[in-house]
Amino acid sequence: MNSRQLPILGLVIFIASCASHSFQPTPPMFKMFEKNNLQSEEIKKEMIACGFPNVITGRNPDDSLGETAKRERCMFKENFRYIDGYMGICSTQAAIRIKEC
């Protein structure tokens, strides 16, 4: 194998590894939260009560990070958690720029 074939082989291996896992779209936002085995409809009601404008995407395109932080804090206050362990936007480096954190 010459040095020109090596990058091609690497690309083929990379593409093959990606093809072995089908694309999984992001789940709706209401499926990202959990609390004591609550059903989806109950989670949606809590999200709306916490100010989420959209239970599918979780936000509007023009929402500020501060608005997102307030909504997440409301859900956390109600003992909800993200199913993947994410601690919310206030747990990120961006939090230093968000007064709501």
Side-chain angles (χ1 to χ4, degrees), residues 10 49 56 59:
I56 303 298
R59 60 191 317 258

Side-chain angles (χ1 to χ4, degrees), residues 7 12 17 37 41 44 46 51 71 74 82 92 94 98:
V12 168
S17 69
N37 298 318
E41 291 307 312
K44 290 176 186 178
E46 291 288 338
R71 294 177 193 133
C74 176
Y82 280 108
T92 67
I98 304 171

Side-chain angles (χ1 to χ4, degrees), residues 42-88:
E42 296 160 313
I43 295 171
K44 290 176 186 178
K45 286 178 188 175
E46 291 288 338
M47 288 179 69
I48 291 167
C50 282
F52 281 86
N54 186 320
V55 297
I56 303 298
T57 64
R59 60 191 317 258
N60 288 324
D62 56 343
D63 285 349
S64 71
L65 294 177
E67 291 169 314
T68 300
K70 282 194 279 188
R71 294 177 193 133
E72 285 180 337
R73 284 185 23 226
C74 176
M75 292 296 281
F76 295 150
K77 183 179 172 188
E78 297 300 320
N79 296 315
F80 281 88
R81 62 194 165 279
Y82 280 108
I83 60 171
D84 62 1
Y86 177 55
M87 299 302 293

Side-chain angles (χ1 to χ4, degrees), residues 15-27:
I15 291 171
S17 69
C18 291
S20 67
H21 301 287
S22 61
F23 172 73
Q24 296 293 319
T26 304

